Amino acid sequence: MSRFADLRELFAKANEVKSGDQLAGIAARSEQERVAAKYALADTQLTEILAKPLLEDEVTRLIYDSFDETAFVPIRSMTVGALREHILSDLISGDNLKSLQPGLMPEMAAAVAKIMSNKDLVLAAAKIRNITRCRNTLGQPGVLAIRTQPNHPADDVGGILLAAFEGLLYGCGDAVIGVNPATDSIESVSAILHALQRLVTTYEIPTQTCCLAHITTQLAAMERGAPVDLLFPSVAGTEDANRSFGINLSLLREGQERVREHHRRRTDVHWIGDNAMYFETGQGSALSAEAHHGIDQLTLEARAYGIARTISPMLVNSVVGFIGPEYLFDERQIIRAGLEDHFMGKLLGLPMGCDVCYTNHAEADQNSADNLLVLLSAAGCNYFMGVPCSDDVMLNYQSTSYHDALAMRRIFHLRPAPEFLEWLESRGMYRDSEPTMLEGPMRRELMSKAEELLSC
């Protein structure tokens, strides 16, 4: 490591090309320097990473407090390069990797990701299954779930319900029916949560709902009687970045406790597990808040996962291309970041999904999204987004559609979450685990209930 001043510089310069690292002035200045950094990182002992924190803040303290020395023992003598070989070995199963999860620091996951190829990231992630349960079960082999995202630019409840209902007809919505509100007010969030709950109750759908307002707004709506299935915050990899989001670790723990207590009081709901949080993350968020402290964006993303795994979430979503080309410039960088995020999250024990997306000023298009969608499906991603027409009318970015979800299930022989699939087949929307045309009586019954919902 003699060419590099410290681990922070080594980590940054071993990273694949990212416009965010270049913007921060920490990227390798040439491909030769990048390759030299990768070689040096591969020869770095895991114990050196353990002994030299990149930053002192509450996120780092949480990472060390949650580190399991016993789980670390089997890999304690390894270098980063040896850990890569261990993860990719045909002799190492997904169960073997799961036993290591408590003994892996986020920075170790970031280090090994930096010296892997795209193929390596797909192959390694495909081994690991992190299963979670709330109102249904997600993450099993052979399952691909979809978050229906029926956003509306004016938070019109009727428009939201119609878009969500359309997603159900395509077999989407088993991950969560999640709405990003246009207005972060208690009244608007409460109205959306009550409407989504009416939809789920009317059709007896085994899935979760969520309104992705600020966590304090959701908790306030919950205190006023709004039903909360999954509590949402965005998280980042430094204390300062989280402060810019209006959160800290204490608030996250309090939120988890309060929503779980809320679930215990809702005796009319059949809960099958206590995973009650939904996190969203993304490379570049700490840099955009000027809170990166000279650490590269891939490593900071891994540190965000270090927070998330201590809260046992139902879902984690890497919104990979959402914050724009300043951080991920083009298709190549977006694809690389999506594969890195998914691998690191799964290696650290998280139920990873991905919003395969890009902004309209990035050097990417829908073919770019298709490429990443296929790669992540091969890697065993837990879920994707189902956005009407793949064009979000409220957030003004490009994502993946209900049709894209069906295509991935078809290509890779995947099915919806088991409880949700049983519901789809009972309603005539699926037959033999495949989507089918609705027969007349079933169609009339579904539409009749939809009319009742919209008239409320």
Side-chain angles (χ1 to χ4, degrees):
M1 202 177 71
S2 59
R3 290 183 56 177
F4 306 97
D6 53 23
L7 283 178
R8 190 181 300 188
E9 182 184 1
L10 177 62
F11 270 56
K13 292 189 173 178
N15 208 11
E16 291 293 305
V17 177
K18 305 281 176 62
S19 54
D21 294 337
Q22 293 170 332
L23 178 65
I26 60 175
R29 290 162 294 187
S30 66
E31 285 304 311
Q32 289 87 344
E33 186 176 38
R34 191 182 325 281
V35 170
K38 286 180 183 289
Y39 271 104
L41 184 58
D43 289 337
T44 301
Q45 294 287 330
L46 297 179
T47 50
E48 183 177 354
I49 296 172
L50 176 63
K52 297 179 179 179
L54 301 180
L55 173 68
E56 291 291 345
D57 69 354
E58 73 166 5
V59 176
T60 301
R61 290 191 290 275
L62 176 68
I63 288 169
Y64 278 85
D65 287 346
S66 59
F67 177 72
D68 188 329
E69 286 277 1
T70 302
F72 182 56
V73 168
I75 57 172
R76 184 178 185 84
S77 64
M78 291 186 184
T79 62
V80 173
L83 178 60
R84 172 188 174 274
E85 296 301 313
H86 182 76
I87 291 168
L88 292 171
S89 170
D90 289 341
L91 301 177
I92 299 302
S93 68
D95 288 341
N96 296 140
L97 295 178
K98 284 182 73 67
S99 70
L100 292 177
Q101 288 171 350
L104 282 167
M105 295 179 65
E107 290 83 353
M108 296 173 188
V112 76
K114 292 171 187 291
I115 62 168
M116 284 181 151
S117 68
N118 287 6
K119 175 187 83 277
D120 293 343
L121 296 170
V122 170
L123 181 62
K127 290 185 178 186
I128 308 167
R129 295 291 167 176
N130 299 318
I131 297 172
T132 54
R133 296 175 176 87
C134 183
R135 296 175 73 157
N136 62 18
T137 309
L138 302 178
Q140 311 94 313
V143 169
L144 174 62
I146 305 298
R147 170 192 158 184
T148 300
Q149 185 171 295
N151 294 344
H152 192 282
D155 287 340
D156 179 78
V157 166
I160 288 169
L161 290 176
L162 279 173
F165 181 76
E166 182 191 20
L168 293 171
L169 294 175
Y170 283 96
C172 299
D174 47 344
V176 62
I177 303 174
V179 175
N180 301 84
T183 304
D184 196 300
S185 71
I186 298 171
E187 294 73 20
S188 181
V189 169
S190 295
I192 291 169
L193 287 170
H194 280 293
L196 294 178
Q197 202 58 221
R198 288 198 304 273
L199 174 67
V200 167
T201 301
T202 297
Y203 288 105
E204 301 177 305
I205 310 167
T207 192
Q208 301 72 226
T209 64
C210 184
C211 185
L212 285 73
H214 192 270
I215 185 173
T216 56
T217 309
Q218 295 169 78
L219 290 172
M222 188 176 76
E223 288 302 309
R224 294 191 186 182
V228 175
D229 291 348
L230 298 182
L231 186 66
F232 161 80
S234 290
V235 291
T238 70
E239 180 179 353
D240 290 341
N242 285 322
R243 185 181 298 114
S244 76
F245 290 163
I247 65 165
N248 56 41
L249 301 184
S250 176
L251 178 59
L252 297 181
R253 287 190 287 266
E254 177 193 347
Q256 180 191 39
E257 292 170 5
R258 288 173 63 182
V259 75
R260 283 180 170 176
E261 176 58 30
H262 172 70
H263 285 190
R264 286 190 285 270
R265 295 196 303 268
R266 290 174 62 192
T267 56
D268 59 318
V269 176
H270 178 56
W271 307 105
I272 64 172
D274 64 354
N275 300 115
M277 301 285 281
Y278 172 22
F279 290 106
E280 286 195 342
T281 67
Q283 289 194 30
S285 57
L287 176 58
S288 70
E290 298 183 353
H292 65 294
H293 298 281
I295 302 172
D296 67 274
Q297 59 190 40
L298 180 154
T299 303
L300 291 179
E301 180 73 359
R303 283 168 56 90
Y305 300 154
I307 297 171
R309 69 173 175 176
T310 67
I311 311 291
S312 302
M314 180 69 177
L315 307 165
V316 177
N317 180 29
S318 167
V319 192
V320 67
F322 182 68
I323 60 175
E326 298 86 354
Y327 309 96
L328 298 170
F329 180 73
D330 57 14
E331 173 181 346
R332 179 179 178 181
Q333 293 184 23
I334 291 170
I335 287 175
R336 176 68 189 188
L339 296 177
E340 291 166 344
D341 294 354
H342 179 252
F343 161 74
M344 293 189 300
K346 289 183 79 174
L347 186 64
L348 293 169
L350 290 171
M352 290 303 297
C354 187
D355 189 348
V356 176
C357 63
Y358 60 96
T359 58
N360 289 319
H361 60 311
E363 290 293 320
D365 58 22
Q366 211 61 31
N367 286 330
S368 311
D370 286 350
N371 292 341
L372 180 54
L373 196 65
V374 169
L375 287 167
L376 285 173
S377 296
C381 193
N382 277 25
Y383 70 96
F384 298 117
M385 300 294 110
V387 176
C389 302
S390 77
D391 183 357
D392 193 289
V393 296
M394 198 276 285
L395 295 174
N396 294 310
Y397 78 117
Q398 310 304 311
S399 185
T400 52
S401 70
Y402 304 142
H403 299 83
D404 295 328
L406 290 180
M408 292 306 102
R409 285 174 176 165
R410 180 68 55 83
I411 292 169
F412 291 96
H413 306 290
L414 302 170
R415 59 191 184 279
E419 301 89 349
F420 194 79
L421 176 59
E422 183 179 348
W423 176 80
L424 289 168
E425 293 189 330
S426 72
R427 296 301 189 276
M429 290 182 275
Y430 267 54
R431 184 181 297 121
D432 298 326
S433 300
E434 292 286 339
T436 187
M437 292 293 293
L438 269 173
E439 297 176 356
M442 286 287 193
R443 185 187 302 114
R444 286 192 293 273
E445 180 185 350
L446 287 171
M447 293 309 299
S448 174
K449 288 183 177 180
E451 290 170 3
E452 291 176 20
L453 270 174
L454 295 172
S455 66
C456 291

